[in-house]
Amino acid sequence: MQSIRKLLPLAFVTLFIFSALGISALAQPQPQPETQPPIYLGTAWYPEQWPESRWDADLRLMQQAGIRFVRITEFAWSSIEPEEAVYKFDWVDHAIDDAAKHHIFVVLGTPTAAPPAWLTQKYPETLRIMEDGRRDEHGNREQFNWANPKYRELCRGIAEKMAKRYGHNPNVIGWQIDNEYAAESYGLDVQKQFQDWLKARYGTLDNLNERWTTAYWSETYSDWSQIPIEEKYGNPGLLLNWKRFVSDTYRSYQKNQLDVIRANSDRRQFITTNMMGWFDGYDHYTVSQDLDLASWDDYVGRGHLDPNRNGAANDLTRGFLRKNFWIMETQPGFVNWAPVNTVLDKGEVRAMAWHNVGHGADAVSYWQWRSDLNGQEELHGTLIGADGTPVPVYSEVAQIGKEFAKAGPALAGTSVHSQVAILHSYDSRWAINWQRHNQAFDPVTQIVSYYKPLREVAQSVDIVPPTTPLDGYKLVVAPGLEVISKAEAENLIAYVKNGGHLVLGQRTGMKNEDNGLWPEREPGPLTELLGGRVDQFYAIDDKPGDTVPVSGIWGNTTSKIWAEQLSTSAPDTKVLMTYGKSNGWLDGKPAVITRKVGKGQITYIGAWMDDATMLKAAKWMAETSGVTAEFGPVPTGVDVYPREGDGKKVFILVNFDKTPQTVTLPSMMRDVLNDKEIHTVSLNHYGVAVLQAK
């Protein structure tokens, strides 16, 4: 993040560069923006939809609200290139210049998520083939085939044109490639690419057949051309590798544009794409690795913010590149695509913004600025109405803008540092979702069931892939890490042997990297280290009386959804929790076991327990691992978000409880928003405090 904030180009240097590049349209002096703020407030602006005479009024309202960047052009291909090889950049030039006059920076989106009608008409092969075999049509977005060479050529062309024109513009701070990757194509051309991808991965059909156990149901392939595309029900190895192919293809689709942007732009301009939280259409770790920063679109939709599930999505995004991230889109009150498009409460938009910053966001941007006069999202929430005047939430966003400006110096150079990590993998989530065994076994819900109590105890949790170096963590928890490779297992074994505490949740270590069962029982390659195993797993029905009693050091509770019958094989493996009388198979059997290995420890939790018991379990994990919360205990409903760096420690507090709460601070701190020294702070519902340790 620091590299994108070093914005010191002089006007004459900029002019020299543009002249050398022969860009006559930009040969006029560029407005020189102010130093970039540590924390950005932003919005999505679509100047191409409005008369240029209106722009200044919009930008003036943005400036008054404290908005410091706008994202533009991500859906503007037909406005930039109305016909092939005919470009109209004047309006983009003016929009960037006008924004600069109001001290507003620009993030340019490549417009490739919405190809123009002339393109898809002239090159119909660029349209994607849907699962039912029909060709998609113009009139929506994401109708393109992300694997098609011609479409990639056209995407690269428009991205290169934009980069050559704006890659050295001092008011352009970054690039968003495309928009919310989501749609695949299923035609014969993509199938052939998938088959070639498999050949490169497996080498021979004999190897693939063996690793996928294709002798089952006579699935054995004798030619690569026989391998189909399957999305939902098929050989587990086929399903998993299709999703990996999708991920690699999105990475190469993105890199096709990223490379030409990077070759024609200043390094101070970051490159990102806006991802979608828990969306699992592709492996975000694969696609993120070439980006400068991760960003995501944070929408609640129906209802209200769940600070645990949403907080985990923030931490997931922070884990893509293991550094601060941006909220590229979020809702200004309500959306238009939920079954019931309820509005966030007054004060909740502000609380959500600070919740995001607390989790490591350095920017919060609202979608969108102004209501469209037409189009599929006419009724979506905005900051100003179609008439150009502010809607009620505008004043709350303006308050956020003032607070971001005031708190920026304290937050500059800070990030999130955690003692606890939760391991997450798309392979495992896909594998569980294809074979839930109990329809209620949602892998994200499982992750949150561990995340919620751990965050309450530790006040900060990282969510990272199992390949991450783990030495810096006192506690590592793996809920539902069903698919685990040999390399990942070796990483976890080394972590325990080096003194870490590894906690495994239900279904961990069941499958190998081909989505096939390990010959050992769960937790597969970690069984010997654990000194125990899963003898059998059971789906638990949600009928009254079907839950399984569990008791032990964390008290008395029940196991719902899932229960695993554990056993021990090493004399020093201890039983912490035991099942009570239920289906006969589980009666008296271990539900949770643990073993110390040298300076480290490994624990396996086989029961899906309630929140109260999981909080006791989290406290035990913290105590046995040496995990502490630096801020100390806070009242129920108050979230604490620590950020530190550059010699500073800052704590953001948000009260999500409906009743006012008073928090006693561990020491005297500076109330950043009110600029005073305090020892206690009172927070109303959705109240916020930004506190800097002395």
Side-chain angles (χ1 to χ4, degrees):
M1 292 300 297
Q2 294 303 312
S3 63
I4 68 170
R5 294 206 173 97
K6 295 176 181 176
L7 186 62
L8 299 174
L10 298 175
F12 72 87
V13 174
T14 304
L15 285 171
F16 175 81
I17 294 171
F18 289 143
S19 298
L21 291 172
I23 305 175
S24 58
L26 292 182
Q28 298 301 314
Q30 298 298 301
Q32 291 302 295
E34 297 175 351
T35 302
Q36 295 188 41
I39 305 294
Y40 271 102
L41 183 67
T43 190
W45 180 41
Y46 299 95
E48 69 273 22
Q49 297 178 18
W50 302 97
E52 194 165 337
S53 59
R54 169 67 205 187
W55 294 359
D56 187 68
D58 281 340
L59 290 163
R60 189 165 57 250
L61 283 169
M62 291 182 203
Q63 184 178 3
Q64 290 171 4
I67 287 172
R68 298 303 312 276
F69 89 93
V70 289
R71 186 192 66 188
I72 65 174
T73 68
E74 82 275 10
F75 297 128
W77 199 336
S78 62
S79 298
I80 294 173
E81 191 180 6
E83 56 185 289
E84 188 168 15
V86 175
Y87 299 97
K88 292 187 176 180
F89 281 114
D90 286 355
W91 70 269
V92 183
D93 302 342
H94 297 165
I96 295 171
D97 290 351
D98 289 354
K101 294 172 186 175
H102 292 274
H103 313 291
I104 296 172
F105 296 95
V106 172
V107 172
L108 288 173
T110 66
T112 52
W118 65 257
L119 188 156
T120 53
Q121 182 183 46
K122 184 174 181 179
Y123 305 107
E125 70 272 22
T126 65
L127 289 166
R128 76 186 189 101
I129 303 300
M130 296 182 286
E131 279 190 88
D132 61 6
R134 292 184 299 115
R135 190 180 296 276
D136 207 345
E137 297 179 359
H138 187 80
N140 211 315
R141 64 179 188 183
E142 296 180 354
Q143 68 268 36
F144 60 86
N145 177 353
W146 89 127
N148 178 260
K150 184 62 181 180
Y151 191 66
R152 290 191 176 200
E153 174 191 326
L154 295 164
C155 289
R156 188 179 180 93
I158 190 69
E160 186 173 32
K161 283 282 185 183
M162 293 178 69
K164 285 183 175 179
R165 193 172 188 94
Y166 304 113
H168 306 287
N169 188 303
N171 207 56
V172 174
I173 56 172
W175 299 80
Q176 175 189 293
I177 296 178
D178 206 84
N179 186 82
E180 295 182 340
Y181 305 148
E184 296 87 51
S185 185
Y186 302 91
L188 293 176
D189 58 333
V190 174
Q191 184 180 358
K192 178 62 167 61
Q193 288 188 36
F194 176 46
Q195 292 162 352
D196 290 344
W197 182 93
L198 288 170
K199 188 173 183 179
R201 181 178 179 87
Y202 286 94
T204 66
L205 277 172
D206 286 345
N207 184 37
L208 181 146
N209 284 322
E210 180 182 356
R211 288 168 63 176
W212 290 9
T213 316
T214 55
Y216 183 82
W217 281 2
S218 193
E219 293 170 350
T220 305
Y221 302 110
S222 57
D223 193 278
W224 294 100
S225 64
Q226 298 164 355
I227 301 175
I229 294 172
E230 290 284 355
E231 277 271 75
K232 298 179 179 67
Y233 188 72
N235 181 287
L238 173 64
L239 291 172
L240 183 55
N241 279 284
W242 165 251
K243 298 303 288 185
R244 289 170 174 164
F245 166 79
V246 168
S247 303
D248 280 353
T249 306
Y250 262 122
R251 182 190 178 194
S252 62
Y253 168 80
Q254 172 181 273
K255 202 169 185 302
N256 175 59
Q257 297 181 48
L258 184 149
D259 286 347
V260 292
I261 295 172
R262 194 160 277 161
N264 292 283
S265 63
D266 297 336
R267 284 299 299 169
R268 62 173 178 81
Q269 292 181 342
F270 66 82
I271 303 176
T272 189
T273 194
N274 53 334
M275 298 182 178
M276 294 181 284
W278 291 112
F279 175 72
D280 67 352
Y282 58 88
D283 187 317
H284 293 49
Y285 301 112
T286 295
V287 175
S288 293
Q289 60 188 288
D290 301 312
L291 300 172
D292 295 314
L293 65 88
S295 63
W296 76 290
D297 296 349
D298 187 3
Y299 290 103
V300 173
R302 183 177 186 173
H304 297 278
L305 179 72
D306 178 345
N308 294 299
R309 191 180 180 99
N310 201 80
N314 273 313
D315 294 342
L316 172 73
T317 306
R318 193 179 70 246
F320 294 157
L321 293 172
R322 301 186 67 199
K323 63 181 182 179
N324 291 6
F325 59 96
W326 279 31
I327 303 291
M328 197 58 76
E329 294 182 18
T330 191
Q331 68 189 68
F334 56 87
V335 299
N336 74 309
W337 41 258
V340 181
N341 295 292
T342 53
V343 67
L344 298 180
D345 290 342
K346 188 174 184 179
E348 192 172 2
V349 170
R350 172 179 176 246
M352 185 173 173
W354 279 110
H355 155 90
N356 290 329
V357 173
H359 281 280
D362 281 343
V364 175
S365 181
Y366 291 93
W367 199 93
Q368 61 175 322
W369 170 246
R370 185 177 182 180
S371 298
D372 299 314
L373 293 177
N374 210 317
Q376 284 89 326
E377 295 178 295
E378 292 171 301
L379 301 185
H380 197 285
T382 58
L383 299 182
I384 67 171
D387 65 350
T389 64
V391 300
V393 77
Y394 172 91
S395 60
E396 189 167 321
V397 172
Q399 181 184 358
I400 297 168
K402 291 177 182 176
E403 292 176 345
F404 278 11
K406 195 162 192 177
L411 290 165
T414 66
S415 57
V416 178
H417 299 263
S418 305
Q419 301 174 30
V420 179
I422 286 178
L423 301 184
H424 163 273
S425 102
Y426 289 94
D427 286 356
S428 294
R429 282 174 56 194
W430 293 326
I432 291 173
N433 278 324
W434 287 317
Q435 299 175 325
R436 284 194 174 190
H437 208 64
N438 181 339
Q439 63 182 354
F441 200 118
D442 172 43
V444 175
T445 300
Q446 183 195 25
I447 289 169
V448 175
S449 75
Y450 284 79
Y451 174 89
K452 178 182 177 182
L454 285 167
R455 199 179 183 290
E456 183 173 339
V457 170
Q459 296 176 348
S460 176
V461 175
D462 287 353
I463 298 180
V464 295
T467 52
T468 300
L470 301 172
D471 290 348
Y473 297 108
K474 295 181 178 180
L475 172 65
V476 172
V477 182
L481 191 64
E482 181 165 282
V483 175
I484 183 169
S485 68
K486 290 181 179 179
E488 291 165 347
E490 289 170 1
N491 189 35
L492 300 184
I493 292 168
Y495 169 72
V496 173
K497 289 184 175 180
N498 289 331
H501 186 180
L502 175 64
V503 177
L504 309 177
Q506 310 92 316
R507 298 179 75 147
T508 293
M510 180 180 284
K511 296 187 174 186
N512 62 25
E513 60 187 311
D514 293 301
N515 205 12
L517 295 175
W518 279 103
E520 306 95 333
R521 305 280 183 85
E522 296 167 69
L526 303 175
T527 301
E528 183 178 348
L529 186 73
L530 177 65
R533 71 173 194 178
V534 175
D535 285 345
Q536 188 56 279
F537 54 85
Y538 303 93
I540 307 301
D541 208 339
D542 59 0
K543 294 177 181 178
D546 278 4
T547 55
V548 180
V550 185
S551 61
I553 66 166
W554 302 330
N556 299 319
T557 185
T558 59
S559 184
K560 60 181 181 179
I561 299 175
W562 196 263
E564 293 176 334
Q565 177 185 332
L566 308 183
S567 65
T568 62
S569 56
D572 54 347
T573 301
K574 297 181 179 179
V575 177
L576 301 182
M577 300 286 284
T578 305
Y579 294 110
K581 186 174 178 58
S582 58
N583 62 7
W585 303 108
L586 289 164
D587 297 4
K589 300 297 183 181
V592 180
I593 59 177
T594 191
R595 184 189 188 199
K596 290 186 178 180
V597 181
K599 295 181 180 179
Q601 187 168 351
I602 181 170
T603 301
Y604 193 101
I605 299 175
W608 189 310
M609 299 176 288
D610 61 22
D611 287 352
T613 306
M614 287 302 293
L615 179 57
K616 294 176 183 176
K619 290 178 178 177
W620 174 86
M621 294 178 210
E623 290 169 3
T624 55
S625 309
V627 171
T628 57
E630 186 171 355
F631 191 86
V634 293
T636 300
V638 176
D639 266 13
V640 178
Y641 311 104
R643 289 179 51 146
E644 63 180 280
D646 201 20
K648 296 172 290 188
K649 289 186 179 180
V650 180
F651 300 93
I652 297 170
L653 276 60
V654 180
N655 179 24
F656 289 102
D657 198 83
K658 291 190 175 181
T659 59
Q661 300 285 4
T662 298
V663 181
T664 300
L665 311 184
S667 61
M668 288 292 292
M669 294 186 179
R670 184 170 74 90
D671 181 342
V672 174
L673 299 182
N674 296 300
D675 197 19
K676 61 181 181 180
E677 304 294 318
I678 60 173
H679 195 265
T680 62
V681 62
S682 296
L683 300 171
N684 292 323
H685 185 210
Y686 295 134
V688 173
V690 181
L691 309 171
Q692 184 171 355
K694 296 181 69 176

